[in-house]
Amino acid sequence: MARKSKLHLRELYSEENKDQIYDNVFAEIESFELPLGTSLRSVYDDQPNAHQRFMEKLDACIRNHDREIEKMCNFHHQGFVDAITELLKVRADAEKLKVIAQTEEIIRCRIQQRNITTVVEKLQLCLPVLEMYSKLKEQMNVKRYYSALKTMEQLENMYLPRVSQYRFCQIMIENLPKLREEIKEISMSDLKDFLESIRKHSDKIGETAMKQAQQQKTFNTALQKQNNVNYGRNMYAINGRVPEPKYEITSKRTLEEEDEHEEEVLTAHDLVDFSPVYRCLHIYSVLGDGETFENYYRKQRRKQARLVLQPQSSMHETVEGYRRYFSQIVGFFVVEDHILHVTQGLVTRAYTDELWNMALSKIIAVLRTHSSYCTDPDLVLELKNLIVVFADTLQGYGFPVNRLFDLLFEIRDQYNETLLKKWAGLFRDIFEADNYSPIPVANEEEYKIVISKFPFQDPELDKQSFPKKLPMSQSVPQIYIQVKEFIYASLKFSESLHRSSTEIDDMLRKSTNLLLTRTLSSCLQNLIKKPHIGLTELVQIIINTTHLEQACKYLEDFITNITNISQETVHTARLYGLSTFKDARHAAEGEIYTKLNQKIDEFIQLADYNWTMSESAGRASGYLMDLINFLRSTFQVFTHLPNNNNDHAAMSGKVAQTACMSACQHLSTSLMQMLLDSELKQISMGAVQQFNLDVIQCELFASSEPVPGFHGDTLQLAFIDLRQLLDLFMVWDWSTYLADYGQPTSKYLRVNPSTALTLLEKVHRGMKDTSKKNNIFAQFRKNDRDKQKLIETVVKQLRSLVNGMSQHT
């Protein structure tokens, strides 16, 4: 029973549950919130007859809804009828309202159309402004500032005034000054960058400009030479002879190489981008501030000019220092010249002239100072070449450079000074290396080698067979070659100075004269004074200077061949070598005499007389015989020098004669001074006899004709004073001396009373000293007493003569 009850309850519960499910499905179908498939599927779950039951439930639900709709319609029917009635009443009014609505719509459309037209017109005015402003922004972005300024002018003058009432236009108007100021600042920054760039690259710009100027000059010179060669070939062709065009081929090749090289090298203007200057100038002109731009540019360039003109302290040490200095200056003025010609008003010709004159004064002062430090002629020559290229380059750009060429004349003098110093060293080396012996030549080949170096001509020597000796030493051809080298070196400086041949000729002759009269003359004078130069060397120097003097005419011809200026021209200077070498010869001769006299003095210092000797030694003193032997051998060397022509023989003979006469005179004077020396108080007659023997040897030497060419007793007359004085004492012939004194025929005409008095007093004192020693036998020597009395009498008479002479004087 209980089981049946459970089954029954389960069935009841199941049916109630089913009804609830159906109600939910109906609610979902009415609401359409969920898909019906899911809801319907739940109806058929687990019940085979669920479809029939669901359809019943659905029909019941539909009947319920129909009853509710019918109730609602019945409830609202009267209201619907009333509404239809009202609608029928207002039909006529609705037709009227419809017509009114249509009219208002037309009016509204008209207003809209008018408004649209006005808006279109205004937009047509605003669109160009916006387009121009957009264009302005684009130009600013791509840095086309000049175009941007022009666009601003168009906006301000044409477009913005038409639409100035709009707010966006006011914003644009306020932004335009800011944009102008921005452009101005950017342009100034670009200008500063440009100025810094050209300051850094001015040396490269100048180097390129100078290189091109030099190439152009070389090209023109080569072309001129080629034309000259072609002209010469035509002249040869007229005469039926055509030489091989070696030089022409070289010239063509040179010209072609120059052309190729010229194509490869950029111009100076290609190295610099001048567009920032153009832009800035245009921009400032548009902004109406061109004067500010001009003043700033000129001020900055003046500062840069001062920096460029300031040299480095070590510039004079190398040519690269000068080259960099010149390159920077050329670069600076090339830029200024370009700015002058491609812009209007930024720089003027007056401004560039003023700047150049200021720079030129500074350049000249710098070069004058730094060139004075140069001691190397090669460096001075390179400096000159740089100055010429520098001047030619700037002259090509229209700058006056005459003052630079005037400066070159000052530097030329300094160049000559450095050359003179250099050649002074060369001359000293040549003189030091010379052996001062005639040049030996073993064969014709050696002879031709010497002749090719030095213009020597001697017909007498040509007749002699080899081997033979040329009269001059090795230094002569070497000196001659070096003088020619000096002329070449001096000529190098005169090249490219735009001077006439006459001026160049004058410069060469003046510099050569300086070399001969100052440098070579000084070297010769110093050489002659050197202690190691002996008498033989001095004679050879005399011969050398004679040949160098004769070669001066060949040096003049050498200069004439270089300059093509005849020596007969009125203004042509002459070489002063003649006087130079004559002075050197006179100095050498004087040095010969001096050295001989010094040697004589050395021998005389060896004299050791016993002035109190009672009797002479019976022969001449040893020192004197050595001196005479020395003089004899010395003069033999003089006379045996090789003299291949009459001029040399006469010259060496004259020198030997003068030297011999000078030596004898000096020996005579020295012996006389020895007798009259104030320190010598007394002399014995024995010493006088010994001295007389020495003088006799001197006279024998003079009479032996040590040097050919003396006539009669000419050389012996050098000892005449000594001879008459000694004869007076040896013969004791005072009565004759005193009686004949002052007579032209006097036997003792050359004896001066004061000299005789001095020697007599010394002899008197010597005799007194001898008498004292022999006092024991004094009573037996009546003759000595008489002699002393005679001496005292003679002394008194001589003193009266001396006093009379002094009073007469």
Side-chain angles (χ1 to χ4, degrees):
M1 189 69 182
R3 186 177 179 183
K4 287 182 180 181
S5 296
K6 291 179 180 181
L7 291 173
H8 182 68
L9 289 172
R10 188 180 297 119
E11 289 177 0
L12 289 176
Y13 176 77
S14 176
E15 288 184 4
E16 289 178 0
N17 191 22
K18 284 292 184 178
D19 291 339
Q20 183 65 37
I21 292 171
Y22 293 155
D23 290 337
N24 292 335
V25 170
F26 294 152
E28 291 175 359
I29 292 173
E30 290 176 358
S31 63
F32 296 102
E33 292 181 356
L34 294 174
L36 297 179
T38 304
S39 301
L40 294 177
R41 192 178 298 112
S42 63
V43 173
Y44 295 98
D45 289 344
D46 301 331
Q47 293 295 331
N49 56 350
H51 174 68
Q52 184 177 357
R53 188 171 178 79
F54 174 72
M55 291 301 296
E56 292 175 355
K57 285 285 184 183
L58 181 60
D59 290 337
C61 182
I62 291 171
R63 285 193 297 271
N64 288 333
H65 282 294
D66 289 339
R67 283 194 295 272
E68 290 178 358
I69 291 170
E70 185 177 352
K71 289 178 180 181
M72 185 177 294
C73 289
N74 291 331
F75 178 77
H76 292 288
H77 179 265
Q78 187 59 41
F80 176 73
V81 173
D82 292 339
I84 293 300
T85 302
E86 289 294 328
L87 286 172
L88 291 175
K89 289 179 180 180
V90 300
R91 176 180 293 176
D93 294 332
E95 291 294 333
K96 293 179 181 179
L97 289 174
K98 183 176 180 182
V99 173
I100 293 171
Q102 289 177 349
T103 303
E104 291 178 350
E105 181 67 21
I106 291 171
I107 293 172
R108 187 178 64 81
C109 289
R110 292 287 187 184
I111 293 172
Q112 287 180 349
Q113 184 178 10
R114 185 185 63 190
N115 291 341
I116 290 170
T117 302
T118 302
V119 169
V120 169
E121 291 176 354
K122 296 297 182 181
L123 287 176
Q124 286 177 345
L125 291 176
C126 292
L127 281 176
V129 176
L130 295 173
E131 290 176 355
M132 293 296 290
Y133 196 79
S134 175
K135 180 181 178 181
L136 172 63
K137 287 294 186 181
E138 182 181 354
Q139 290 170 341
M140 292 291 291
N141 291 334
V142 297
K143 300 181 179 181
R144 295 172 57 193
Y145 301 117
Y146 179 75
S147 300
L149 289 174
K150 290 296 184 181
T151 302
M152 289 184 197
E153 285 185 353
Q154 292 179 357
L155 279 171
E156 289 178 329
N157 298 329
M158 294 177 58
Y159 296 101
L160 288 177
R162 300 174 184 174
V163 290
S164 59
Q165 68 272 21
Y166 299 111
R167 186 169 176 271
F168 77 92
C169 292
Q170 295 298 324
I171 295 173
M172 289 182 183
I173 293 172
E174 293 174 359
N175 284 338
L176 290 182
K178 297 178 181 178
L179 292 175
R180 281 195 176 92
E181 192 63 30
E182 179 182 352
I183 291 174
K184 190 174 181 179
E185 292 177 357
I186 292 173
S187 299
M188 184 57 69
S189 176
D190 290 345
L191 176 62
K192 291 178 179 178
D193 294 340
F194 168 77
L195 292 173
E196 182 65 21
S197 175
I198 60 175
R199 188 187 69 81
K200 291 181 179 178
H201 298 92
S202 59
D203 55 342
K204 183 65 176 177
I205 299 169
E207 181 183 351
T208 303
M210 290 175 68
K211 186 182 295 183
Q212 289 179 342
Q214 192 171 12
Q215 289 174 352
Q216 184 63 37
K217 185 175 181 180
T218 303
F219 176 80
N220 293 338
T221 303
L223 185 61
Q224 184 178 2
K225 289 182 179 179
Q226 182 180 355
N227 292 336
N228 293 338
V229 171
N230 290 337
Y231 175 77
R233 289 189 63 209
N234 293 334
M235 295 301 295
Y236 274 105
I238 292 173
N239 296 327
R241 296 174 295 172
V242 180
E244 296 182 3
K246 295 181 180 178
Y247 181 80
E248 181 184 4
I249 295 173
T250 304
S251 299
K252 286 183 177 179
R253 183 168 60 253
T254 303
L255 296 179
E256 292 173 359
E257 291 174 356
E258 292 290 340
D259 290 339
E260 293 177 0
H261 186 67
E262 200 168 317
E263 291 176 359
E264 295 174 359
V265 178
L266 296 174
T267 63
H269 299 154
D270 293 335
L271 299 174
V272 182
D273 180 15
F274 288 91
S275 58
V277 179
Y278 307 148
R279 287 198 305 268
C280 293
L281 180 60
H282 292 159
I283 288 169
Y284 273 77
S285 299
V286 172
L287 293 174
D289 207 7
E291 185 176 354
T292 301
F293 177 77
E294 280 179 28
N295 294 335
Y296 179 82
Y297 175 84
R298 295 185 183 185
K299 180 180 179 181
Q300 294 301 316
R301 289 297 279 167
R302 286 183 185 276
K303 289 181 179 179
Q304 291 186 355
R306 285 192 289 271
L307 291 175
V308 166
L309 295 171
Q310 188 66 32
Q312 294 182 352
S313 58
S314 60
M315 184 178 73
H316 62 277
E317 296 178 357
T318 61
V319 70
E320 290 302 322
Y322 287 107
R323 181 175 286 111
R324 180 174 177 81
Y325 180 69
F326 288 136
S327 297
Q328 290 178 343
I329 296 173
V330 171
F332 179 89
F333 283 100
V334 165
V335 171
E336 289 304 290
D337 180 76
H338 184 74
I339 294 294
L340 172 65
H341 287 89
V342 299
T343 61
Q344 293 183 351
L346 182 56
V347 295
T348 61
R349 173 58 67 183
Y351 162 79
T352 55
D353 289 345
E354 177 190 356
L355 197 61
W356 169 245
N357 289 330
M358 180 273 294
L360 188 58
S361 299
K362 178 68 174 177
I363 292 166
I364 291 174
V366 167
L367 293 178
R368 186 178 286 124
T369 300
H370 282 262
S371 63
S372 64
Y373 301 143
C374 294
T375 57
D376 181 9
D378 294 333
L379 180 58
V380 178
L381 184 62
E382 290 182 348
L383 171 60
K384 167 258 172 181
N385 292 332
L386 279 177
I387 293 175
V388 170
V389 175
F390 172 73
D392 289 343
T393 303
L394 289 175
Q395 191 174 33
Y397 286 94
F399 295 98
V401 294
N402 292 335
R403 291 172 62 189
L404 284 174
F405 285 101
D406 294 337
L407 173 67
L408 284 174
F409 281 93
E410 298 180 23
I411 298 179
R412 181 201 65 191
D413 295 336
Q414 183 185 345
Y415 174 71
N416 285 337
E417 289 297 324
T418 58
L419 285 181
L420 292 175
K421 290 180 181 178
K422 179 179 179 180
W423 257 257
L426 294 174
F427 289 154
R428 284 194 297 268
D429 294 340
I430 290 173
F431 289 142
E432 287 293 332
D434 195 7
N435 58 6
Y436 298 99
S437 300
I439 301 175
V441 286
N443 49 49
E444 184 72 22
E445 184 178 354
E446 292 182 4
Y447 181 74
K448 288 182 178 179
I449 291 175
V450 177
I451 298 304
S452 65
K453 297 177 181 179
F454 182 77
F456 174 75
Q457 294 178 355
D458 188 351
E460 295 296 328
L461 184 63
D462 292 340
K463 296 176 183 179
Q464 297 180 14
S465 60
F466 293 99
K468 52 189 174 183
K469 291 184 178 181
L470 303 182
M472 63 278 188
S473 64
Q474 288 287 352
S475 62
V476 172
Q478 293 175 0
I479 291 294
Y480 183 79
I481 291 172
Q482 287 304 322
V483 172
K484 292 174 66 175
E485 290 297 325
F486 177 87
I487 294 172
Y488 277 128
S490 182
L491 177 65
K492 287 181 181 179
F493 196 93
S494 302
E495 295 174 351
S496 304
L497 290 187
H498 311 299
R499 297 294 170 178
S500 65
S501 298
T502 303
E503 291 175 306
I504 294 176
D505 182 87
D506 185 61
M507 287 188 289
L508 288 180
R509 292 178 184 275
K510 286 182 178 179
S511 58
T512 307
N513 276 331
L514 282 176
L515 178 72
L516 297 176
T517 59
R518 198 173 77 184
T519 304
L520 183 55
S521 176
S522 176
C523 290
L524 284 170
Q525 297 292 339
N526 293 333
L527 173 67
I528 291 168
K529 299 294 183 182
K530 286 183 179 296
H532 69 276
I533 298 297
L535 298 174
T536 306
E537 287 82 1
L538 288 171
V539 174
Q540 185 63 57
I541 289 173
I542 293 173
I543 296 173
N544 289 349
T545 53
T546 303
H547 286 283
L548 289 172
E549 179 184 341
Q550 294 171 354
C552 284
K553 63 179 182 179
Y554 297 101
L555 291 176
E556 290 190 345
D557 294 340
F558 178 71
I559 295 175
T560 299
N561 291 334
I562 292 176
T563 61
N564 293 324
I565 300 298
S566 174
Q567 299 179 30
E568 305 302 325
T569 305
V570 176
H571 301 289
T572 302
R574 300 296 178 184
L575 295 184
Y576 302 143
L578 300 178
S579 60
T580 297
F581 297 121
K582 284 180 180 178
D583 293 341
R585 274 201 305 278
H586 294 157
E589 292 172 5
E591 191 65 19
I592 289 175
Y593 312 148
T594 301
K595 286 184 179 295
L596 270 176
N597 295 341
Q598 289 175 350
K599 200 67 178 178
I600 290 172
D601 291 339
E602 292 176 5
F603 278 101
I604 289 179
Q605 288 176 2
L606 299 176
D608 188 18
Y609 285 103
N610 181 5
W611 298 108
T612 60
M613 67 172 57
S614 58
E615 294 181 358
S616 66
R619 60 180 181 277
S621 302
Y623 85 92
L624 189 69
M625 297 305 298
D626 293 339
L627 172 57
I628 290 174
N629 291 332
F630 164 74
L631 292 175
R632 200 181 302 279
S633 62
T634 299
F635 294 130
Q636 284 179 353
V637 171
F638 275 56
T639 56
H640 286 85
L641 285 173
N643 298 316
N644 297 308
N645 61 30
N646 296 330
D647 292 336
H648 294 155
M651 179 192 65
S652 60
K654 181 181 178 182
V655 172
Q657 290 172 11
T658 307
C660 186
M661 177 59 75
S662 173
C664 291
Q665 290 174 346
H666 184 72
L667 176 57
S668 176
T669 303
S670 299
L671 292 174
M672 181 68 79
Q673 290 174 351
M674 189 184 299
L675 282 176
L676 303 178
D677 188 3
S678 60
E679 296 182 0
L680 180 61
K681 302 300 182 181
Q682 60 182 18
I683 301 176
S684 67
M685 285 305 296
V688 173
Q689 293 171 2
Q690 181 64 44
F691 203 83
N692 183 57
L693 292 175
D694 292 344
V695 174
I696 291 173
Q697 288 297 322
C698 294
E699 292 172 328
L700 290 174
F701 168 74
S703 62
S704 65
E705 199 178 7
V707 173
F710 286 109
H711 300 288
D713 298 334
T714 303
L715 195 57
Q716 289 175 276
L717 292 176
F719 300 97
I720 189 64
D721 293 354
L722 271 175
R723 172 48 48 211
Q724 290 186 7
L725 179 63
L726 291 174
D727 285 348
L728 179 60
F729 279 84
M730 294 299 295
V731 179
W732 207 252
D733 195 7
W734 292 105
S735 59
T736 303
Y737 174 76
L738 293 172
D740 295 342
Y741 178 75
Q743 299 298 322
T745 58
S746 174
K747 180 179 178 182
Y748 304 103
L749 182 64
R750 307 281 298 187
V751 179
N752 189 285
S754 62
T755 303
L757 177 61
T758 302
L759 184 58
L760 183 58
E761 288 177 342
K762 293 183 179 183
V763 172
H764 188 198
R765 283 191 290 270
M767 293 177 66
K768 284 182 178 181
D769 186 65
T770 304
S771 298
K772 289 179 182 180
K773 293 179 181 179
N774 301 325
N775 193 26
I776 300 173
F777 308 99
Q779 63 273 21
F780 302 108
R781 297 193 176 180
K782 184 176 180 299
N783 291 334
D784 290 342
R785 290 197 301 270
D786 295 339
K787 195 173 187 178
Q788 288 183 7
K789 290 179 180 179
L790 176 62
I791 291 174
E792 291 174 358
T793 303
V794 172
V795 167
K796 290 179 182 180
Q797 292 178 349
L798 288 174
R799 282 176 180 168
S800 65
L801 288 176
V802 172
N803 293 332
M805 290 174 60
S806 61
Q807 291 175 2
H808 181 72
T809 304

